Amino acid sequence: INPQIYNHQEHINMTVNYSNDKGEEKKQDEVETPEPGTPWVEGKEEDAGAMIERIILVELDTVMQNGGIQAVQEMLADGNQVKLVSSPNKDNYAESSEIKTKWVAENLGADWLPRLVLTPDKTLVQGHVLIDDKPSCKEGTITPNWRHVVFSTSDNQELEGPRIDSWSEWRAAMPCKIPLSIANKETLYPNGINFSCVFPSFNQYEIVRKTLAGLAKQKVVSDFKFECIIVDNNSTDDIQQIYMDYRDKLDLRLIQRRKLENTFSVPSARNMGILEAKYDYIVGMDSDVIFDEYALENLYKFLSSRDPSTPYIVTAERYFVATDDFKDGQILEDFSTCEKFPRILSKANYFKPRDNRFSHGNVLHNVRENIHPYAYYYGMHTAFPRKIWEAIGGYNEVYDGWWGYDDIHFAYEMMVKGGCVPVLLAGTEVYHQEPENSTWVPVGGVITKTGDANPRLNKKANPNWQRICDTIPGYADWKKEHYERLAGDIITL
């Protein structure tokens, strides 16, 4: 896949330096991208978990029984979507997860690792059938969509419902039709397609003003509404003044949190803001991004052209810019001011000239082919249905207090448990603001390319890195390869 550069509504003639998957520097003239409001790439619905073909969930422990490996291979060969579901030991979650992951890799092969879902709550995993020997599998957060097919053991003979006594019987237990509870899903937008833009904030007074100016300049052509919710994580600058200045320009709310032990409490801030949202589709943001002026319009056009019962999770490219020499009033007067922002080698982007998901991450191919697609959906620019956020229990707040990976965990659960189809959507790009002066450091971010005590480069020192590796089967090895292409000084072990 050749990378593309897209700038607002106009294609621009430029040559951009980028690196290929081997990290070799190349030059590539700009190539055509889709029209705004259409996807660069749209993930396969069946791979993402949308209920199109029969999805069979199989408890991993039962696969270890005689004939189980052959059975799941037959399910896949018959054209079913197959997911291996298991609940690691809650008293030793990491070690238990590692044992299960290793078993799948050794007995089914590495290609099966993306099909492994490790979760304490099987009710959140969407499917048509769950083959499981455990009576407790229906105990969880929600009423499951799947039908429980009991895999017979001496301990579960009292359970009612369909069952199989051996793996040779699995085909006979499959439903002929997809359950109506899944095939006829309700619309995700019962009140119409409208947007709640939600972001946490901590200081950066001038940058937040420009973020709001970008929202105030959104071009609304179609019939939709949007609001903005700021969740303040104990800012020491005058965020109240920002609210006062913009409340007449936007449908704006400011939530100021109680005293926090750690102001870098991002997942909990996102959850708090979404709880207060009044619309059905959430546009997740950070406080330092300026959306393309047609971003919401293009997002509306995309969603309104699709089945309203199919959940889509959407992102696009970031342009890294310095806005020190610009004021929010200039954007309010003329949005084309944003085109004058100087592009920079971003500390937050590992000093790469282009969004590293595109230059080094092979995002277009991997989202299309369902190769860890959730790895590309960052909190600063990810939009999704509120109903699915509710179904999976929101952002995991155990990630509070440390940099990163809460958004990857969230996107993983939105796709694997919530059935969201991943999309990269043209015309919804953002300008990622970053102070150009050399003393600025992102929260939990880069100091220098080889700096000590550097959370963005030293993954080993970041507990969130270990959390995400324990959560997603195969993620650690796959991401390590990406980091090796991206920068040789990233520590992951």
Side-chain angles (χ1 to χ4, degrees), residues 167-222:
W167 277 115
S168 62
E169 303 172 357
W170 75 264
R171 285 191 177 91
M174 293 299 104
C176 296
K177 296 181 179 180
I178 294 175
L180 291 177
S181 62
I182 293 178
N184 295 333
K185 293 184 294 181
E186 296 179 354
T187 177
L188 294 164
Y189 324 112
N191 302 306
I193 300 173
N194 301 294
F195 306 114
S196 292
C197 303
V198 179
F199 65 85
S201 182
F202 178 71
N203 293 338
Q204 295 191 314
Y205 179 88
E206 293 292 343
I207 281 180
V208 174
R209 293 185 70 93
K210 283 170 274 197
T211 294
L212 292 179
L215 289 175
K217 291 294 287 184
Q218 287 295 297
K219 301 289 188 182
V220 179
V221 180
S222 302

Side-chain angles (χ1 to χ4, degrees), residues 57-61 83-94 96-98 100-101 104 113-127 130 132 134 136-142 144 146 391-394 396 409-410 412-418 467-473:
L57 311 177
V58 185
E59 162 57 48
L60 181 60
D61 291 346
K83 296 180 182 180
L84 307 177
V85 184
S86 190
S87 298
N89 187 318
K90 63 181 179 180
D91 296 325
N92 198 354
Y93 199 94
S96 177
S97 298
E98 183 178 356
K100 292 174 183 292
T101 301
V104 172
L113 288 176
R115 301 181 183 278
L116 177 59
V117 181
L118 300 176
T119 175
D121 187 348
K122 295 174 185 174
T123 69
L124 294 174
V125 186
Q126 293 199 35
L130 171 65
D132 198 327
K134 296 176 177 59
S136 60
C137 66
K138 290 186 177 181
E139 298 174 3
T141 306
I142 62 176
W146 38 259
I392 70 165
N396 191 328
H409 187 133
F410 176 72
Y412 171 74
E413 295 200 330
M414 290 289 281
M415 294 181 199
V416 173
K417 295 181 181 179
R467 289 187 180 105
I468 198 68
C469 293
D470 290 342
T471 299
I472 302 178

Side-chain angles (χ1 to χ4, degrees), residues 270-315:
R270 296 195 193 281
N271 285 337
M272 184 175 291
I274 296 169
L275 279 172
E276 295 298 319
K278 62 184 179 183
Y279 295 132
D280 295 322
Y281 201 83
I282 305 300
V283 178
M285 303 172 57
D286 279 351
S287 61
D288 55 4
V289 297
I290 301 173
F291 272 86
D292 180 282
E293 63 181 329
Y294 285 94
L296 297 183
E297 175 68 25
N298 288 328
L299 182 57
Y300 176 85
K301 287 180 178 177
F302 169 76
L303 294 173
S304 62
S305 69
R306 298 303 198 270
D307 178 0
S309 67
T310 298
Y312 292 95
I313 185 169
V314 177
T315 193

Side-chain angles (χ1 to χ4, degrees), residues 207-262:
I207 281 180
V208 174
R209 293 185 70 93
K210 283 170 274 197
T211 294
L212 292 179
L215 289 175
K217 291 294 287 184
Q218 287 295 297
K219 301 289 188 182
V220 179
V221 180
S222 302
D223 184 21
F224 69 88
K225 301 174 183 177
F226 75 95
E227 65 172 341
C228 177
I229 300 172
I230 306 173
V231 182
D232 175 39
N233 278 358
N234 299 171
S235 293
T236 57
D237 56 14
D238 197 356
I239 194 167
Q240 187 68 32
Q241 184 61 52
I242 299 177
Y243 169 73
M244 296 295 290
D245 290 343
Y246 274 88
R247 65 179 181 176
D248 293 332
K249 299 178 179 66
L250 290 164
D251 182 356
L252 180 64
R253 278 183 282 170
L254 172 63
I255 300 172
Q256 294 184 292
R257 303 184 69 178
R258 60 172 176 78
K259 180 66 176 177
L260 297 170
E261 293 183 6
N262 189 319

Side-chain angles (χ1 to χ4, degrees), residues 382-426:
T382 294
F384 49 88
R386 176 174 173 158
K387 276 191 173 183
I388 308 301
W389 168 86
E390 291 175 346
I392 70 165
Y395 284 85
N396 191 328
E397 296 180 10
V398 72
Y399 288 86
D400 268 5
W402 292 88
W403 172 80
Y405 301 107
D406 54 291
D407 44 8
I408 307 305
H409 187 133
F410 176 72
Y412 171 74
E413 295 200 330
M414 290 289 281
M415 294 181 199
V416 173
K417 295 181 181 179
C420 282
V421 179
V423 175
L424 277 79
L425 190 64

Side-chain angles (χ1 to χ4, degrees), residues 257-375:
R257 303 184 69 178
R258 60 172 176 78
K259 180 66 176 177
L260 297 170
E261 293 183 6
N262 189 319
T263 58
F264 199 59
S265 297
V266 176
S268 58
R270 296 195 193 281
N271 285 337
M272 184 175 291
I274 296 169
L275 279 172
E276 295 298 319
K278 62 184 179 183
Y279 295 132
D280 295 322
Y281 201 83
I282 305 300
V283 178
M285 303 172 57
D286 279 351
S287 61
D288 55 4
V289 297
I290 301 173
F291 272 86
D292 180 282
E293 63 181 329
Y294 285 94
L296 297 183
E297 175 68 25
N298 288 328
L299 182 57
Y300 176 85
K301 287 180 178 177
F302 169 76
L303 294 173
S304 62
S305 69
R306 298 303 198 270
D307 178 0
S309 67
T310 298
Y312 292 95
I313 185 169
V314 177
T315 193
E317 188 168 2
R318 304 167 292 172
Y319 304 136
F320 293 89
V321 298
T323 61
D324 304 51
D325 297 331
F326 297 85
K327 297 293 185 182
D328 57 312
Q330 295 173 266
I331 300 173
L332 291 172
E333 183 177 346
D334 183 0
F335 187 85
S336 66
T337 297
C338 297
E339 297 175 6
K340 302 175 184 177
F341 296 156
R343 303 287 182 92
I344 61 173
L345 295 178
S346 168
K347 300 177 182 71
N349 192 45
Y350 301 93
F351 300 97
K352 304 304 177 187
R354 189 180 185 192
D355 186 336
N356 74 82
R357 296 174 296 174
F358 288 77
S359 64
H360 291 68
N362 207 18
V363 58
L364 301 179
H365 174 268
N366 288 349
V367 169
R368 182 183 292 116
E369 298 302 322
N370 196 40
I371 301 172
H372 293 288
Y374 29 79

Side-chain angles (χ1 to χ4, degrees), residues 69-168:
I69 293 176
Q70 179 180 342
V72 295
Q73 291 172 336
E74 290 173 353
M75 294 174 193
L76 196 62
D78 284 359
N80 299 293
Q81 294 298 312
V82 183
K83 296 180 182 180
L84 307 177
V85 184
S86 190
S87 298
N89 187 318
K90 63 181 179 180
D91 296 325
N92 198 354
Y93 199 94
E95 182 178 352
S96 177
S97 298
E98 183 178 356
I99 291 172
K100 292 174 183 292
T101 301
K102 184 178 180 181
W103 188 92
V104 172
E106 291 179 350
N107 291 275
L108 287 165
D111 291 347
W112 278 79
L113 288 176
R115 301 181 183 278
L116 177 59
V117 181
L118 300 176
T119 175
D121 187 348
K122 295 174 185 174
T123 69
L124 294 174
V125 186
Q126 293 199 35
H128 303 134
V129 173
L130 171 65
I131 302 176
D132 198 327
D133 61 346
K134 296 176 177 59
S136 60
C137 66
K138 290 186 177 181
E139 298 174 3
T141 306
I142 62 176
T143 301
N145 281 323
W146 38 259
R147 181 178 71 171
H148 182 199
V149 173
V150 181
F151 190 87
S152 289
T153 68
S154 58
D155 297 328
N156 62 24
Q157 295 302 309
E158 77 285 355
L159 287 180
E160 298 180 355
R163 68 172 51 238
I164 58 176
D165 294 320
S166 70
W167 277 115
S168 62

